[in-house]
Amino acid sequence: MKRRTILRGLAGAATQGSAVTALNRIAGAEASASDFSVTVLLDEPIGTIRPTVYSQFAEHIGGVIYDGIWVGTNSKVPNIGGIRKALVEHVKRLGKVVVRWPGGCFADRYHWRDGIGPVASRPRRFGRWREVTEPNTFGMHEFIRFCRLCDVEPYFAANVGTGSPEEYQQWVEYCNAPAGSTTLADERAANGDREPLGIRYWGVGNESWGCGGKFTPEDYCREYRKFTEWLPEYGVKLYLIAAGPNSNDLDWTRRFFTKWIDGTRAPIQGWAPHYYCGTTGHALKFTIDQWYEQLFKANRMETLIRDQWTVLGLFDPEHKIKLVVDEWGGWHPAGTEINPAHRFEQMGTLRDALVAALTLDTFNRHADKVDMANIAQLVNNLHSLFLAAGDRFVATPSFHVFEMYRPHHGGRSVRVDVHAPELAFGPGKPPKQIFRIAGSASRTGQRALTLTLVHTHATDPAEVTIRLRGGLARELGQTVLTHKELNAHNTFEQPGTVVPRSSPAELRGSDLHCVLAPASVTRLDVTLG
Ligand code: AHR
């Protein structure tokens, strides 16, 4: 009876028939309170969570740059020198993250000189995405200004597809050469930035197995060597990022590094796999089985990190090269764009928020392996944190997850041991299994512990006992993001539909107890005694 009541609250888009079928198959639905426990091993550190794993990606595609970030200096939309003010105010709330630019696939046909100098004389070019002409109104100085306004760090992806090693070398020189030292440094000064920009994150192509040139791993490795050999440092320790595999393609990684070790090893600091968990159903319409399937696919990030790390270790046993997952997120079919010109724009729901949360927890749990990760993309594209059109702007549920997880930034990740029966779902025999509860924990200073938990069950709550091994809780706070409808989302008209809410949490003796709402993300702020 209770289940039927809850079902009424489900997303209208999820058909009741399939919801009931799915529920009947959920093994975990019968679990009792005592089945759920989370132990935080305060004395088992994993590594420091770099704020850069909460990073962003902004490509010249659809509505990301034009309309999303750049509204123009003459716009009626509140702006700071042409940059959307509401976006700046929200990106600041993400903390010390990195923004990757200008692509994506766009990067491999982008010539950086097209975007510098007086705007009126910048060339108009064929846009990589074949939709509109790229006007180059927004170039690197505009992007740097955006980063400064938001207090985030830029990450440039260089053109290996149609560019040259020399063009790349000159881009680094233009950005980082000391004032007055070279003609390019003078040109930079003439364009408004006398002091070096000190850019340290540099990508060497993008998806070089695909839109970045359709290279074999061996050919890409050869290009990588040429492109990185003559890069000047100018006192900036460059962090070079090589294009990793499509999802967890181990063959790409093995073959690239087999080639890499056969001669002098070109410097690589970051290895960049891309993983899109895609879709099940549609951004707004999905069954309960598809809810679980989407979370299941997102959870493959765990395997990807472990597998890629193992293969990296064969070639780099000291693990100096870290993972940089510089594109990740959900990718739903077209149909929910707020503006038809915004290619790959999709509505982000509670489901996408759980995908974001479980992925961020995965990165936190692998803080020793993942240096950076960039959700695709910041605004108006795929798994966006924001949607913007003209003077309208809204934060998606995924933005709220990123903000909820901020206390993890710079924290020391510690091991979390979860005991909760898995959920079975789907028509298969045997059905697929997905975790019911997963999360991550980090410590800041001596007394602060942040524990984030994702609860996947679509309809039932879970009462969880939380044990702290190696410490005692003195105070507890709880913040929860959930909604009774699985496809709930924020709109321009109703921006507060899916937002986090803080509530009292109970401390009983040495263990903590909390009830995780169905389909929820929870953050517990624990003050240790
Ligand atoms: O994020 C959209 C596109 O997806 C990027 O340009 C490309 O790198 C990926 O395939």
Side-chain angles (χ1 to χ4, degrees), residues 220-289:
Y220 174 59
C221 187
R222 232 170 262 127
E223 293 300 304
Y224 186 92
R225 286 186 173 131
K226 281 197 285 179
F227 272 74
T228 52
E229 180 57 22
W230 285 99
L231 295 183
E233 289 227 322
Y234 292 119
V236 179
K237 201 165 165 25
L238 301 185
Y239 189 108
L240 299 175
I241 298 163
N246 181 9
S247 303
N248 191 12
D249 177 1
L250 294 170
D251 188 54
W252 175 269
T253 305
R254 256 191 228 109
R255 284 173 55 189
F256 175 92
F257 282 100
T258 303
K259 184 85 195 150
W260 182 69
I261 57 167
D262 80 357
T264 307
R265 295 164 195 211
I268 302 178
Q269 280 70 37
W271 180 243
H274 286 179
Y275 177 54
Y276 287 97
C277 63
T279 189
T280 53
H282 174 271
L284 292 173
K285 294 187 190 130
F286 47 88
T287 63
I288 288 195
D289 267 351

Side-chain angles (χ1 to χ4, degrees), residues 121-148:
S121 44
R122 293 185 194 170
R124 284 170 298 123
R125 301 278 188 213
F126 151 78
R128 166 64 180 78
W129 291 98
R130 298 187 184 147
E131 317 158 42
V132 283
T133 300
E134 168 57 51
N136 283 305
T137 316
F138 189 90
M140 63 166 285
H141 289 277
E142 287 77 19
F143 178 65
I144 292 291
R145 210 148 48 72
F146 170 68
C147 291
R148 286 183 185 142

Side-chain angles (χ1 to χ4, degrees), residues 292-457:
Y292 289 119
E293 179 73 27
Q294 183 72 355
L295 302 179
F296 176 85
K297 292 202 296 175
N299 197 39
R300 289 196 182 124
M301 187 67 86
E302 172 73 30
T303 314
L304 180 150
I305 291 172
R306 286 179 189 276
D307 289 354
Q308 293 292 324
W309 190 251
T310 303
V311 174
L312 285 179
L314 303 175
F315 302 93
D316 171 35
E318 289 177 38
H319 277 304
K320 291 199 171 134
I321 302 171
K322 308 286 188 205
L323 292 169
V324 170
V325 187
D326 58 14
E327 288 185 32
W328 67 271
W331 193 319
H332 300 301
T336 58
E337 300 85 350
I338 49 170
N339 177 337
H342 292 179
R343 188 172 182 148
F344 298 149
E345 183 172 67
Q346 62 195 32
M347 199 52 79
T349 66
L350 176 67
R351 177 172 68 153
D352 299 295
L354 264 80
V355 165
L358 76 86
T359 306
L360 294 173
D361 280 325
T362 308
F363 295 147
N364 291 346
R365 290 196 302 271
H366 294 287
D368 53 334
K369 307 176 185 72
V370 185
D371 257 7
M372 192 199 295
N374 309 63
I375 191 168
Q377 302 195 12
L378 179 68
V379 52
N380 288 349
N381 189 276
L382 301 176
H383 202 140
S384 301
L385 270 54
F386 310 103
L387 295 172
D391 60 358
R392 298 175 304 164
F393 179 86
V394 67
T396 66
S398 292
F399 163 74
H400 294 294
V401 167
F402 271 69
E403 196 174 38
M404 272 175 78
Y405 276 48
R406 249 192 94 165
H408 280 305
H409 292 205
R412 304 181 308 279
S413 176
V414 292
R415 203 156 76 77
V416 175
D417 203 3
V418 178
H419 286 278
E422 290 195 313
L423 299 177
F425 69 95
K429 287 193 174 76
K432 287 184 177 164
Q433 304 274 336
I434 183 170
F435 71 85
R436 177 153 179 178
I437 298 166
S440 66
S442 67
R443 301 185 65 172
T444 303
Q446 284 311 303
R447 301 190 62 201
L449 170 71
T450 303
L451 173 63
T452 44
L453 295 171
V454 171
H455 181 215
T456 58
H457 202 296

Side-chain angles (χ1 to χ4, degrees), residues 57 59 61 100 103-106 129 206-207 209 211 274 276 327 331 344 376-377 381-382:
F57 170 36
E59 176 170 12
I61 176 176
R100 176 175 182 246
C105 293
F106 182 85
W129 291 98
N206 165 76
E207 298 194 350
W209 38 265
C211 64
H274 286 179
Y276 287 97
E327 288 185 32
W331 193 319
F344 298 149
Q377 302 195 12
N381 189 276
L382 301 176

Side-chain angles (χ1 to χ4, degrees), residues 42-62:
L42 293 166
D43 44 5
E44 288 199 28
I46 296 169
T48 298
I49 299 171
R50 295 172 48 122
T52 45
V53 300
Y54 291 79
S55 290
Q56 303 295 316
F57 170 36
E59 176 170 12
H60 286 243
I61 176 176

